[in-house]
Amino acid sequence: MFSRIKARFNDMGTIGTLCTEAEQHALRDQQREPGAEHFLLAALDLPDGTARRAFEEVGADPAALKHAIARQYGDALAAIGLDIGSPLAAAAGQEQLVAKPGAFNASASGQEVMQALAASRSQHGPLLGAHVVAIVAAMPHGVAARALRAMGVDPGQLKSAAEAVARADAQP
C-alpha cells in the first residue's frame, strides 16, 4: 500500500514538472496555453531520459524537435502571407510572456495529452517521459505531428519505441 501511495506522489510530481515545463515552452513561443508540442518538449526535459531514448531509438535527434516545431509555426504564418523570417529568431527578439496566476490551462491538444495520461495511468508503472512521447506520437494532426513528419520520424515507430523504452525502464 505504501508503495502505491509513493508511486502516486511521484507521478503527481512528474505531472507538475511536465505542466510547468510545457507552460514555459509555450510562453517562449509567445503562447499562453501549452499544446501537445510543448508537452513533447517538456517530456524531453524530464530527468528520467526516456523521452530522449525513444527519439534516439528511431534515429531522431531530440534536439532537432524545437526547430521543427518553430518551422511549423513559420510555415503556418507564411501560408497566410506573413513572413517573420526565422521563427526562432523572431521569438528571441520578443519579450517572453510570463505565466498568469491561477489555474493551469492548456490548449485543446495539450488537454488531450493530459486526458490520455490520466486515462492510461493504471496501465503502467511510474509516469515517464516516454509515456508522453507515445501519446503525442499517436496524435495524427497538429503542430507536433507535422513537426515529427518534418523531422522524418514515423509516428508509429516512435510510439512503439516509446512504449518499449517505458516498459524496459519500468522493469526492476
Side-chain angles (χ1 to χ4, degrees):
M1 183 171 113
F2 180 70
S3 62
R4 280 195 333 206
I5 294 171
K6 183 179 174 186
R8 287 196 185 265
F9 183 74
N10 287 338
D11 283 355
M12 287 178 6
T14 301
I15 288 171
T17 300
L18 188 65
C19 290
T20 300
E21 290 300 314
E23 182 177 47
Q24 289 304 308
H25 283 290
L27 292 170
R28 282 191 286 276
D29 286 342
Q30 300 298 309
Q31 298 177 33
R32 293 249 176 237
E33 296 178 339
E37 65 276 17
H38 301 113
F39 281 96
L40 189 55
L41 288 167
L44 291 170
D45 294 340
L46 289 175
D48 64 49
T50 59
R52 289 188 170 281
R53 287 202 315 268
F55 270 76
E56 291 163 356
E57 285 289 319
V58 297
D61 178 8
L65 180 63
K66 182 146 186 69
H67 179 71
I69 290 169
R71 198 167 79 211
Q72 299 315 301
Y73 293 137
D75 290 350
L77 291 172
I80 61 169
L82 298 174
D83 181 17
I84 61 165
S86 165
L88 290 175
Q94 298 176 357
E95 187 174 319
Q96 182 178 325
L97 295 177
V98 294
K100 286 185 176 179
F104 178 81
N105 288 312
S107 72
S109 66
Q111 290 175 24
E112 187 177 339
V113 170
M114 294 304 294
Q115 290 167 356
L117 284 173
S120 68
R121 174 60 200 110
S122 64
Q123 299 169 358
H124 55 77
L127 178 61
L128 302 169
H131 295 120
V132 177
V133 172
I135 288 167
V136 175
M139 298 173 84
H141 306 291
V143 174
R146 289 191 308 273
L148 290 173
R149 286 192 298 269
M151 291 175 63
V153 173
D154 178 288
Q157 288 180 344
L158 181 59
K159 181 180 184 292
S160 294
E163 290 168 343
V165 166
R167 277 191 306 275
D169 203 71
Q171 299 300 319

